[in-house]
C-alpha cells in the first residue's frame, strides 16, 4: 500500500544539476532531486541508466563532474575527508552486491563499524546492539557463521543489518530485493518499511522489482536519459499516459 | 601477455611510487590499526615459516655438500664452514626467503585485496567511515616489512644448521668448531647489509601485493591477474634491490 506523501517535512538531502560521465559515456546529465525527512524515495531506471552511480556520488565513492549534493546542508564533493567520514556514519549504504567482509564472521561484520565509531560502548552494549539488529532482520542464529555459509537472501539481510547498526538517518538501498524470490522479496520490503517507521529514517531506494516499489515508495522518481524525468506517487505515475513513464509499470 | 610498452612501464612505476608515498604519508597519522597489524604479522609468519625453514635447511645442506670437492682439491677443506656460511648469510638465504614470501605472501595479499576490491568490500569499508588504505594497505605493508627480516634471520640459523650437518657427512666437525669457523668468517659487516636488505625485500613484497590488489579491475578474472603479477613483479624487484644493494656495499668497501 502506498503511503501518503510527506511533503511539508524538512529536506535532508538535495541534489541539483548533477553531471557525471565516464569518458564519452554521459551517465548523469543534470539530475536534481530532494529527499524529505522520513520518506522513502524510489528511483526507477533502466539497467545502466546510472542509478548506482547516483547513490555512489551521494556517499562520496565517486566525484561528480559538476553539481551539488547537499546532505544535512553540507555539500559532499567539497568536504574534507574527516567531515566526509563523519557524515558517512549518519548514512547507511546497502550495496547491490551486499559487500559483506568475507574474512569475518557475521558478528565481526556487524562489529566492524561499531568498534570504529562508537568507541565508548562496552562489550555488553555492543552485544545487545548486535542482537537488536540481527533480530530486526530475523537472523539471530547466524552470529557465528561466515558470509559464505549464508544463502543469497540471508546475505542481503545481514548486509541490511550492518547498514542499520549505526542507526543511520539516511539509508541508500541499491536494489535490495533483486534476485530474491517473491516471498523473501516481500519480507525485505516490509522490513524496510518497518525500519522507516521505527527509526524515522529517510531513504533512497533503487529498485527494479515493482512489488518492492509498491510496498515501500512514498514518492517515485524516474531516471531517463540521465535526468529526472518524472516525479510522483505510485498512483500518479502508474496511471501516467507518458510512454517513458508507463514502461516501468507494465 | 605481450611485453608492455615503455610508456606503460613508466606509468606503472610512477603510480607505484605514489602508492608508496601514500603509505608513508598515512602511516604516521592515527588511527593506528594495531590489531590488524599484529594479525597480519602473525599471518605472514605462520604462512611461510615452515616452508622458509625447510628450504633454508636444504639449501644449507646442499651447498655445503657441493662445495666440498672443490675445496678438497685445493686442500682447503677446513675453510668449508667459513666459505659456505658467508655465501648463505650474505646472499642466498635472504634472497630465497624473500622469493618464497613473494610467492606465498605477495600472491595472497594481491588476491585478497583484489577480491575485496571487485566485490566492493573496500568501498563498503570506505562508506562505513573507515580508511581502507590504512586498515588494509598500511597494516599489510608494515607487516611484510617487519616480519620478513625476522623470517630471514631464522632461516639463516636453520641453513647454518643444515650446513653443519653437511660438514659432518664426510668428516667430523664438532659443533663448537663449526661455529668458531662461522663466526670467524661472517663478520658484522657481512651480516648487517644482508639484514638491512631484507627490510627492503619485505617492503617491496608488501608494496607490490597491495598495489596490484588495491587497484584490481575487471572482476574476478582481474583477481587472478593481480595475484599473478604481484608475484612476478615482486620477484623481479627483489633481484633489482639485490643488485642495488651489492653496488652500495661495494662502494662502501664492504664486499
Ligand atoms: N567505475 C566505472 N567506470 C566506468 N564506467 C562506469 C563505472 N561505473 C558505472 N559506469 C557506467 O555508468 C553507467 C551506469 O552504471 P550504473 O551501475 O549506475 O547502472 P545502474 O543504473 O545501477 O544499472 P543496474 O540496474 O544494472 O544496476 C553504465 O553505462 C556503466 O557502464
Ligand atoms: Mg546498479
Amino acid at each position: 500500500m502506498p503511503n501518503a506523501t510527506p511533503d511539508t517535512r524538512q529536506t535532508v538531502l538535495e541534489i541539483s544539476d548533477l553531471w557525471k560521465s565516464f569518458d564519452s559515456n554521459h551517465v548523469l546529465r543534470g539530475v536534481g532531486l530532494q529527499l524529505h525527512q522520513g520518506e522513502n524515495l524510489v528511483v526507477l531506471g533502466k539497467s545502466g541508466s546510472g542509478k548506482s552511480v547516483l547513490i555512489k556520488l551521494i556517499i562520496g565513492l565517486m566525484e561528480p563532474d559538476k553539481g551539488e549534493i547537499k546532505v544535512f546542508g553540507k555539500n559532499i564533493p567539497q568536504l574534507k575527508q574527516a567531515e566526509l567520514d563523519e557524515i558517512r556514519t549518519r548514512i547507511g549504504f546497502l550495496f547491490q552486491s551486499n559487500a559483506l567482509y568475507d574474512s569475518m564472521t557475521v558478528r565481526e561484520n556487524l562489529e566492524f563499524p561499531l568498534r570504529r565509531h562508537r568507541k565508548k560502548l562496552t562489550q555488553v552494549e555492543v552485544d545487545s546492539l548486535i542482537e537488536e539488529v540481527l533480530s530486526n532482520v530475523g537472523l539471530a542464529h547466524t552470529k557465528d557463521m561466515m558470509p559464505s555459509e549464508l544463502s543469497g537472501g540471508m546475505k542481503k539481510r545481514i548486509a541490511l543489518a550492518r547498514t542499520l547498526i549505526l542507526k543511520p538517518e539516511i539509508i541508500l538501498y541499491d536494489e535490495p530485493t533483486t534476485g530474491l524470490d517473491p516471498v523473501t522479496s516481500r519480507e525485505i520490503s516490509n522490513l524496510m518499511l518497518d525500519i522507516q517507521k521505527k527509526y524515522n529514517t529517510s531513504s533512497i531506494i533503487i529498485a527494479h522489482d515493482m512489488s518492492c516499489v509498491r510496498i515501500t515508495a512514498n514518492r517515485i522518481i524516474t531516471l531517463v536519459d540521465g535526468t529526472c524525468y518524472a516525479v510522483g506517487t505510485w498512483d500518479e505515475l502508474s496511471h501516467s499516459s507518458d510512454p517513458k513513464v508507463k514502461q516501468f509499470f507494465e | 601477455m605481450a611485453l608492455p610498452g615503455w610508456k606503460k612501464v613508466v606509468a606503472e612505476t610512477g603510480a607505484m611510487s605514489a602508492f608508496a608515498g601514500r603509505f608513508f604519508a598515512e602511516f604516521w597519522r592515527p588511527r593506528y590499526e594495531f590489531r590488524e597489524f599484529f594479525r597480519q604479522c602473525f599471518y605472514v609468519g605462520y604462512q611461510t615459516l615452515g616452508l622458509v625453514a625447510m628450504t633454508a635447511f636444504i639449501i644449507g645442506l646442499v651447498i655445503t655438500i657441493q662445495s666440498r670437492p672443490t675445496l678438497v682439491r685445493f686442500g682447503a677443506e677446513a675453510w668449508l664452514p667459513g666459505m659456505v656460511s658467508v655465501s648463505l648469510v650474505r646472499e642466498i638465504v635472504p634472497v630465497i626467503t624473500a622469493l618464497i614470501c613473494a610467492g606465498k605472501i605477495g600472491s595472497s595479499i594481491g588476491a585478497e585485496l583484489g577480491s575485496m576490491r571487485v566485490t566492493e568490500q573496500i568501498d563498503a569499508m570506505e562508506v562505513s567511515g573507515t580508511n581502507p588504505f590504512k586498515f588494509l594497505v598500511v597494516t599489510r605493508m608494515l607487516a611484510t616489512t617487519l616480519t620478513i627480516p625476522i623470517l630471514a634471520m631464522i632461516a639463516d640459523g636453520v641453513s647454518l644448521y643444515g650446513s653443519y650437518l653437511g660438514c659432518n657427512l664426510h668428516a667430523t666437525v664438532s659443533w663448537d668448531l663449526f661455529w668458531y669457523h662461522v663466526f670467524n668468517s661472517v663478520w658484522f659487516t657481512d651480516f648487517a647489509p644482508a639484514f638491512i636488505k631484507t627490510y627492503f625485500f619485505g617492503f617491496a613484497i608488501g608494496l607490490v601485493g597491495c598495489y596490484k590488489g588495491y587497484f584490481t579491475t575487471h572482476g574476478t578474472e582481474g583477481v587472478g591477474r593481480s595475484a599473478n603479477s604481484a608475484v612476478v613483479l615482486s620477484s623481479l624487484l627483489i633481484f633489482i634491490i639485490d643488485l642495488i644493494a651489492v653496488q652500495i656495499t661495494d662502494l662502501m668497501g664492504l664486499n
Side-chain angles (χ1 to χ4, degrees):
Chain A
M1 284 291 290
N3 305 357
T5 321
D7 43 10
T8 54
R9 294 187 229 177
Q10 206 184 333
T11 304
V12 288
L13 187 157
E14 185 169 10
I15 293 177
S16 44
D17 196 29
L18 190 65
W19 291 70
K20 177 74 185 173
S21 35
F22 299 98
D23 300 325
S24 61
N25 181 4
H26 303 287
V27 181
L28 302 181
R29 304 180 217 179
V31 170
L33 62 82
Q34 293 184 334
L35 178 69
H36 304 299
Q37 170 71 45
E39 87 168 329
N40 281 344
L41 177 67
V42 167
V43 178
L44 286 180
K46 276 193 273 196
S47 185
S49 59
K51 305 179 300 295
S52 296
V53 169
L54 175 66
I55 60 170
K56 282 183 183 166
L57 286 167
I58 294 174
I59 198 84
L61 280 177
M62 291 179 178
E63 301 224 332
D65 301 335
K66 203 178 118 188
E68 278 198 336
I69 304 163
K70 286 202 163 164
V71 182
F72 306 122
K74 291 190 182 146
N75 190 14
I76 295 285
Q78 285 172 354
L79 290 184
K80 293 207 195 75
Q81 190 63 43
E83 296 172 303
L84 184 59
D85 283 344
E86 202 274 321
I87 279 210
R88 278 169 169 171
T89 63
R90 299 167 68 187
I91 307 177
F93 192 108
L94 183 69
F95 282 85
Q96 192 167 354
S97 60
N98 300 327
L100 293 174
Y101 307 128
D102 297 325
S103 60
M104 304 183 195
T105 62
V106 166
R107 191 199 160 77
E108 287 163 344
N109 263 282
L110 298 174
E111 260 185 18
F112 191 83
L114 276 183
R115 289 265 174 244
R116 264 132 235 288
H117 300 294
R118 303 282 185 271
K119 284 183 202 139
K120 290 192 193 101
L121 290 184
T122 62
Q123 187 59 46
V124 178
E125 289 167 315
V126 168
D127 286 341
S128 77
L129 263 172
I130 290 177
E131 290 289 337
E132 182 190 332
V133 287
L134 278 181
S135 65
N136 269 344
V137 298
L139 286 176
H141 59 286
T142 58
K143 230 186 311 185
D144 296 315
M145 290 167 97
M146 299 301 284
S148 57
E149 298 171 303
L150 304 172
S151 74
M154 288 159 99
K155 276 187 199 146
K156 188 64 86 184
R157 285 198 244 182
I158 296 297
L160 189 52
R162 188 179 67 183
T163 308
L164 295 176
I165 198 145
L166 290 177
K167 304 250 157 72
E169 295 153 65
I170 296 178
I171 305 181
L172 309 172
Y173 296 97
D174 197 347
E175 307 200 5
T177 60
T178 303
L180 302 178
D181 66 276
V183 179
T184 316
S185 158
R186 199 167 333 118
E187 277 172 16
I188 296 218
S189 306
N190 284 322
L191 195 59
M192 288 159 62
L193 214 53
D194 289 344
I195 290 160
Q196 179 197 17
K197 296 215 181 89
K198 203 161 161 186
Y199 302 111
N200 192 29
T201 51
S202 328
S203 310
I204 293 183
I205 301 165
I206 291 173
H208 284 300
D209 163 17
M210 292 320 279
S211 69
C212 166
V213 176
R214 190 171 190 147
I215 294 171
T216 55
N218 299 124
R219 231 160 31 105
I220 299 173
I221 278 185
T222 56
L223 199 59
V224 181
D225 299 330
T227 57
C228 290
Y229 187 74
V231 187
T233 61
W234 171 275
D235 288 329
E236 287 162 12
L237 294 191
S238 61
H239 296 119
S240 166
S241 55
D242 188 330
K244 280 186 178 173
V245 176
K246 234 165 100 180
Q247 61 178 351
F248 294 113
F249 294 86
E250 275 160 0
Chain B
M1 209 171 76
L3 207 69
W6 64 272
K7 273 186 186 165
K8 228 167 139 189
V9 175
V10 172
E12 184 98 345
T13 311
M16 207 138 48
S17 311
F19 197 77
R22 191 169 165 200
F23 165 81
F24 286 113
E26 298 221 13
F27 107 98
W28 303 104
R29 289 193 222 121
R31 108 175 232 152
Y32 305 113
E33 306 281 358
F34 287 114
R35 249 181 81 172
E36 179 69 6
F37 166 69
F38 287 120
R39 212 174 68 86
Q40 289 304 324
C41 286
F42 173 75
Y43 194 63
V44 171
Y46 179 80
Q47 261 199 332
T48 50
L49 184 60
L51 199 59
V52 164
M54 201 168 77
T55 317
F57 177 78
I58 293 173
I59 291 272
L61 187 65
V62 168
I63 292 201
T64 309
I65 295 172
Q66 286 188 337
S67 306
R68 172 189 296 277
T70 316
L71 290 183
V72 167
R73 211 176 309 147
F74 292 109
E77 198 183 345
W79 285 77
L80 188 58
M83 197 202 81
V84 170
S85 59
V86 169
S87 41
L88 285 175
V89 168
R90 284 198 65 146
E91 174 65 20
I92 298 172
V93 170
V95 170
I96 291 281
T97 307
L99 287 177
I100 290 174
C101 290
K104 275 223 89 153
I105 307 298
S107 65
S108 86
I109 291 178
E112 187 189 13
L113 295 196
S115 73
M116 290 187 80
R117 168 61 74 197
V118 301
T119 58
E120 297 185 305
Q121 291 174 54
I122 293 183
D123 288 339
M125 232 169 237
E126 195 164 344
V127 160
S128 76
T130 299
N131 182 342
F133 193 90
K134 260 194 132 74
F135 185 79
L136 298 171
V137 175
V138 172
T139 52
R140 279 163 179 74
M141 281 176 68
L142 272 182
T144 55
T145 310
L146 299 178
T147 314
I148 288 173
I150 298 174
L151 281 167
M153 209 141 63
I154 296 172
D156 277 338
V158 176
S159 75
L160 289 177
Y161 182 69
S163 168
Y164 166 72
L165 293 186
C167 289
N168 275 287
L169 283 181
H170 294 278
T172 322
V173 182
S174 77
W175 179 253
D176 290 341
L177 184 63
F178 177 80
W179 288 106
Y180 173 78
H181 278 298
V182 169
F183 283 114
N184 250 344
S185 329
V186 184
W187 290 3
F188 183 71
T189 48
D190 292 312
F191 175 73
F195 184 63
I196 293 168
K197 189 162 76 175
T198 55
Y199 281 95
F200 288 90
F201 291 161
F203 183 77
I205 291 166
L207 173 67
V208 175
C210 289
Y211 171 79
K212 288 288 175 187
Y214 202 74
F215 295 116
T216 299
T217 50
H218 300 101
T220 36
E221 191 205 336
V223 176
R225 216 179 307 154
S226 295
N228 187 277
S229 54
V231 177
V232 174
L233 192 55
S234 53
S235 306
L236 185 66
L237 268 183
I238 286 166
F239 287 113
I240 293 174
I241 293 170
D242 202 36
L243 192 63
I244 295 171
V246 82
Q247 300 294 331
I248 293 174
T249 47
D250 207 27
L251 285 177
M252 288 168 70
L254 297 178
N255 278 353

